[in-house]
Amino acid sequence: MSTTILDEWTGYGLANGEHLDYSKAIAGALHGLDPAKVPVGEQVAALEALNTKYTDFINESRKFVDTADITKADAKRDALFMAIYSAVDHLAAIDGDTPQDLWHKARIVQAMSGAYKGVTRHSLPKETEELRGFGFDMQKNPAAVEAITALGMLPWLNALIAANDELDELYKHRTGERGDREASAGGETTASVRKEASTLIVEIVARVNAAQRLIPSAELEGAVTALMGVISQYRLVASQHTAKREKPEPGPEAAS
Protein backbone atom coordinates (compact mmCIF):
# COMPACT_ATOMS: atom_id res chain seq x y z
CA MET A 1 0.00 0.00 0.00
CA SER A 2 1.15 3.51 -0.74
CA THR A 3 1.97 5.89 2.08
CA THR A 4 0.68 9.41 1.53
CA ILE A 5 1.77 11.96 4.11
CA LEU A 6 -1.16 14.23 4.79
CA ASP A 7 -0.79 17.95 5.29
CA GLU A 8 -1.26 18.76 8.99
CA TRP A 9 -3.05 21.99 8.09
CA THR A 10 -4.94 23.86 10.79
CA GLY A 11 -7.28 25.71 8.43
CA TYR A 12 -5.31 28.95 8.57
CA GLY A 13 -6.82 31.63 6.32
CA LEU A 14 -10.39 30.36 6.55
CA ALA A 15 -13.10 32.59 7.98
CA ASN A 16 -14.62 31.23 11.18
CA GLY A 17 -17.70 29.74 9.49
CA GLU A 18 -15.49 28.08 6.87
CA HIS A 19 -13.16 26.79 9.58
CA LEU A 20 -16.13 25.24 11.38
CA ASP A 21 -17.15 23.49 8.15
CA TYR A 22 -13.56 22.27 7.72
CA SER A 23 -13.54 20.91 11.28
CA LYS A 24 -16.85 19.12 10.68
CA ALA A 25 -15.58 17.69 7.40
CA ILE A 26 -12.44 16.29 9.09
CA ALA A 27 -14.56 14.61 11.76
CA GLY A 28 -17.07 13.39 9.19
CA ALA A 29 -14.38 11.77 7.05
CA LEU A 30 -13.33 9.58 10.00
CA HIS A 31 -16.62 8.99 11.80
CA GLY A 32 -17.41 5.37 12.64
CA LEU A 33 -14.16 3.81 11.43
CA ASP A 34 -12.61 0.82 13.20
CA PRO A 35 -10.38 2.34 15.95
CA ALA A 36 -8.04 -0.63 15.67
CA LYS A 37 -7.29 0.26 12.07
CA VAL A 38 -7.71 4.05 12.26
CA PRO A 39 -6.68 4.91 15.85
CA VAL A 40 -8.30 8.32 16.13
CA GLY A 41 -11.68 7.42 17.64
CA GLU A 42 -11.14 9.34 20.87
CA GLN A 43 -9.89 12.45 19.08
CA VAL A 44 -12.69 12.38 16.50
CA ALA A 45 -15.31 12.07 19.27
CA ALA A 46 -13.72 15.05 21.03
CA LEU A 47 -13.74 17.07 17.81
CA GLU A 48 -17.39 16.23 17.12
CA ALA A 49 -18.36 17.36 20.61
CA LEU A 50 -16.30 20.53 20.19
CA ASN A 51 -17.92 21.23 16.82
CA THR A 52 -21.30 21.39 18.54
CA LYS A 53 -19.99 24.12 20.83
CA TYR A 54 -18.23 25.82 17.90
CA THR A 55 -21.55 25.90 16.01
CA ASP A 56 -23.24 27.58 18.97
CA PHE A 57 -20.60 30.30 19.07
CA ILE A 58 -20.86 30.96 15.33
CA ASN A 59 -24.68 31.04 15.36
CA GLU A 60 -24.76 33.26 18.46
CA SER A 61 -22.57 35.86 16.78
CA ARG A 62 -24.96 35.99 13.83
CA LYS A 63 -27.84 37.05 16.09
CA PHE A 64 -26.22 40.41 16.70
CA VAL A 65 -24.77 42.89 14.22
CA ASP A 66 -24.62 40.82 11.07
CA THR A 67 -21.40 40.76 9.11
CA ALA A 68 -23.51 41.57 6.04
CA ASP A 69 -24.36 44.97 7.55
CA ILE A 70 -20.69 45.77 8.00
CA THR A 71 -19.86 44.48 4.53
CA LYS A 72 -22.55 46.70 3.01
CA ALA A 73 -21.28 49.78 4.89
CA ASP A 74 -17.72 48.96 3.85
CA ALA A 75 -18.72 48.68 0.18
CA LYS A 76 -20.47 52.04 0.42
CA ARG A 77 -17.45 53.90 1.75
CA ASP A 78 -15.15 52.12 -0.71
CA ALA A 79 -17.35 53.25 -3.61
CA LEU A 80 -17.40 56.85 -2.40
CA PHE A 81 -13.65 57.02 -1.96
CA MET A 82 -13.02 55.44 -5.36
CA ALA A 83 -15.51 57.84 -6.98
CA ILE A 84 -13.45 60.78 -5.73
CA TYR A 85 -10.11 59.10 -6.46
CA SER A 86 -11.01 58.03 -10.01
CA ALA A 87 -12.78 61.27 -10.97
CA VAL A 88 -9.90 63.55 -10.00
CA ASP A 89 -7.42 61.13 -11.56
CA HIS A 90 -9.16 61.48 -14.92
CA LEU A 91 -9.75 65.23 -14.64
CA ALA A 92 -6.15 65.86 -13.67
CA ALA A 93 -5.05 64.38 -16.98
CA ILE A 94 -6.76 67.22 -18.89
CA ASP A 95 -4.37 70.10 -19.62
CA GLY A 96 -5.50 73.65 -18.99
CA ASP A 97 -4.17 77.18 -19.23
CA THR A 98 -5.17 78.84 -15.96
CA PRO A 99 -5.44 77.90 -12.28
CA GLN A 100 -9.22 78.25 -12.60
CA ASP A 101 -9.46 75.27 -14.95
CA LEU A 102 -10.86 72.02 -13.62
CA TRP A 103 -7.60 70.18 -14.23
CA HIS A 104 -5.88 72.46 -11.71
CA LYS A 105 -8.57 71.89 -9.09
CA ALA A 106 -8.46 68.17 -9.76
CA ARG A 107 -4.70 68.02 -9.24
CA ILE A 108 -5.04 69.63 -5.81
CA VAL A 109 -7.50 66.93 -4.73
CA GLN A 110 -5.51 64.25 -6.53
CA ALA A 111 -2.44 65.11 -4.45
CA MET A 112 -4.49 64.55 -1.30
CA SER A 113 -6.28 61.36 -2.36
CA GLY A 114 -3.17 59.86 -3.96
CA ALA A 115 -1.59 59.53 -0.52
CA TYR A 116 -4.35 57.06 0.35
CA LYS A 117 -4.05 54.86 -2.73
CA GLY A 118 -4.90 51.26 -1.89
CA VAL A 119 -6.81 52.15 1.28
CA THR A 120 -9.83 50.07 0.24
CA ARG A 121 -7.73 46.90 0.37
CA HIS A 122 -6.81 47.31 4.02
CA SER A 123 -8.43 45.67 7.03
CA LEU A 124 -11.60 47.30 8.33
CA PRO A 125 -10.12 49.09 11.37
CA LYS A 126 -7.06 50.27 9.44
CA GLU A 127 -9.17 51.61 6.58
CA THR A 128 -11.43 53.40 9.05
CA GLU A 129 -8.51 55.30 10.54
CA GLU A 130 -6.99 56.08 7.15
CA LEU A 131 -10.24 57.42 5.70
CA ARG A 132 -10.74 59.47 8.84
CA GLY A 133 -7.28 60.90 8.17
CA PHE A 134 -8.17 61.64 4.55
CA GLY A 135 -11.32 63.50 5.58
CA PHE A 136 -9.43 65.49 8.21
CA ASP A 137 -6.63 66.37 5.78
CA MET A 138 -9.13 67.58 3.18
CA GLN A 139 -11.22 69.63 5.64
CA LYS A 140 -8.26 71.42 7.23
CA ASN A 141 -6.80 72.46 3.86
CA PRO A 142 -8.64 75.56 2.48
CA ALA A 143 -7.28 75.02 -1.02
CA ALA A 144 -8.46 71.42 -1.03
CA VAL A 145 -11.92 72.43 0.23
CA GLU A 146 -12.16 75.13 -2.43
CA ALA A 147 -11.01 72.73 -5.13
CA ILE A 148 -13.35 69.86 -4.27
CA THR A 149 -16.23 72.33 -3.95
CA ALA A 150 -15.47 73.78 -7.39
CA LEU A 151 -15.47 70.25 -8.78
CA GLY A 152 -18.91 69.60 -7.28
CA MET A 153 -17.55 66.76 -5.14
CA LEU A 154 -17.91 68.22 -1.67
CA PRO A 155 -21.15 66.21 -1.11
CA TRP A 156 -19.16 63.12 -2.08
CA LEU A 157 -16.54 63.87 0.57
CA ASN A 158 -19.21 64.53 3.20
CA ALA A 159 -20.96 61.28 2.30
CA LEU A 160 -17.65 59.40 2.56
CA ILE A 161 -16.98 60.79 6.03
CA ALA A 162 -20.52 59.85 7.13
CA ALA A 163 -20.23 56.34 5.66
CA ASN A 164 -16.90 55.82 7.40
CA ASP A 165 -18.40 56.89 10.74
CA GLU A 166 -21.36 54.57 10.13
CA LEU A 167 -19.11 51.56 9.64
CA ASP A 168 -17.03 52.49 12.67
CA GLU A 169 -20.14 52.50 14.86
CA LEU A 170 -21.32 49.14 13.52
CA TYR A 171 -17.89 47.62 14.05
CA LYS A 172 -17.56 48.94 17.61
CA HIS A 173 -21.09 47.80 18.42
CA ARG A 174 -20.37 44.30 17.25
CA THR A 175 -17.07 44.22 19.15
CA GLY A 176 -18.85 45.29 22.34
CA GLU A 177 -21.53 42.65 21.92
CA ARG A 178 -18.87 40.04 21.31
CA GLY A 179 -17.15 40.99 24.55
CA ASP A 180 -20.44 40.67 26.47
CA ARG A 181 -21.08 37.24 24.99
CA GLU A 182 -17.58 36.04 25.75
CA ALA A 183 -17.82 37.21 29.34
CA SER A 184 -21.03 35.19 29.77
CA ALA A 185 -19.39 32.11 28.21
CA GLY A 186 -16.96 31.57 31.07
CA GLY A 187 -14.00 33.04 29.24
CA GLU A 188 -14.39 30.90 26.15
CA THR A 189 -14.44 32.73 22.83
CA THR A 190 -14.89 31.83 19.21
CA ALA A 191 -11.13 32.22 18.87
CA SER A 192 -10.39 29.88 21.78
CA VAL A 193 -12.79 27.23 20.48
CA ARG A 194 -11.26 27.58 17.02
CA LYS A 195 -7.81 27.11 18.56
CA GLU A 196 -8.95 23.93 20.31
CA ALA A 197 -10.45 22.59 17.08
CA SER A 198 -7.26 23.38 15.17
CA THR A 199 -5.18 21.52 17.76
CA LEU A 200 -7.41 18.45 17.49
CA ILE A 201 -7.34 18.53 13.69
CA VAL A 202 -3.54 18.55 13.67
CA GLU A 203 -3.42 15.72 16.23
CA ILE A 204 -5.87 13.63 14.22
CA VAL A 205 -3.99 14.04 10.94
CA ALA A 206 -0.65 13.37 12.65
CA ARG A 207 -2.01 10.13 14.13
CA VAL A 208 -3.31 9.03 10.73
CA ASN A 209 0.11 9.75 9.21
CA ALA A 210 1.81 7.68 11.92
CA ALA A 211 -0.69 4.82 11.56
CA GLN A 212 0.11 4.51 7.87
CA ARG A 213 3.66 3.57 8.75
CA LEU A 214 2.76 1.24 11.63
CA ILE A 215 -0.57 -0.45 10.82
CA PRO A 216 -1.39 0.04 7.11
CA SER A 217 -4.78 -1.22 5.99
CA ALA A 218 -7.32 -0.71 3.23
CA GLU A 219 -9.63 1.07 5.68
CA LEU A 220 -6.85 3.43 6.70
CA GLU A 221 -6.00 4.10 3.08
CA GLY A 222 -9.63 5.05 2.46
CA ALA A 223 -9.51 7.46 5.40
CA VAL A 224 -6.35 9.03 4.00
CA THR A 225 -8.01 9.54 0.63
CA ALA A 226 -11.04 11.16 2.27
CA LEU A 227 -8.90 13.45 4.41
CA MET A 228 -6.77 14.43 1.44
CA GLY A 229 -9.91 15.54 -0.39
CA VAL A 230 -11.14 17.57 2.56
CA ILE A 231 -7.81 19.31 3.11
CA SER A 232 -7.37 20.08 -0.58
CA GLN A 233 -10.90 21.46 -0.86
CA TYR A 234 -10.57 23.85 2.07
CA ARG A 235 -7.04 24.91 1.14
CA LEU A 236 -8.56 25.98 -2.18
CA VAL A 237 -11.26 27.95 -0.34
CA ALA A 238 -8.58 29.75 1.69
CA SER A 239 -6.52 30.52 -1.41
CA GLN A 240 -9.50 32.10 -3.18
CA HIS A 241 -9.89 34.87 -0.60
CA THR A 242 -8.31 37.47 -2.85
CA ALA A 243 -11.05 40.10 -2.45
CA LYS A 244 -10.87 42.29 0.64
CA ARG A 245 -12.94 41.09 3.56
CA GLU A 246 -12.77 41.23 7.30
CA LYS A 247 -9.93 39.08 8.55
CA PRO A 248 -10.80 35.93 10.51
CA GLU A 249 -10.83 36.42 14.25
CA PRO A 250 -7.26 36.05 15.55
CA GLY A 251 -6.36 32.44 15.97
CA PRO A 252 -3.26 30.54 17.01
CA GLU A 253 -2.62 29.00 13.63
CA ALA A 254 0.73 29.74 12.13
CA ALA A 255 0.69 30.42 8.40
CA SER A 256 1.39 27.22 6.56
Side-chain angles (χ1 to χ4, degrees), residues 48-120:
E48 288 175 335
L50 184 64
N51 286 339
T52 299
K53 182 190 297 183
Y54 200 175
T55 301
D56 289 341
F57 271 85
I58 295 293
N59 289 340
E60 184 70 13
S61 69
R62 289 171 180 164
K63 295 178 184 177
F64 295 83
V65 176
D66 198 291
T67 298
D69 296 331
I70 293 178
T71 300
K72 183 178 179 180
D74 183 41
K76 180 180 179 180
R77 70 177 182 178
D78 285 356
L80 285 163
F81 176 79
M82 291 308 300
I84 295 170
Y85 183 93
S86 299
V88 297
D89 193 47
H90 287 295
L91 288 171
I94 303 172
D95 289 330
D97 298 323
T98 68
Q100 285 70 41
D101 288 330
L102 290 182
W103 69 272
H104 179 75
K105 307 295 185 185
R107 288 181 185 179
I108 294 174
V109 180
Q110 182 189 44
M112 306 288 287
S113 62
Y116 295 87
K117 181 180 180 180
V119 65
T120 60

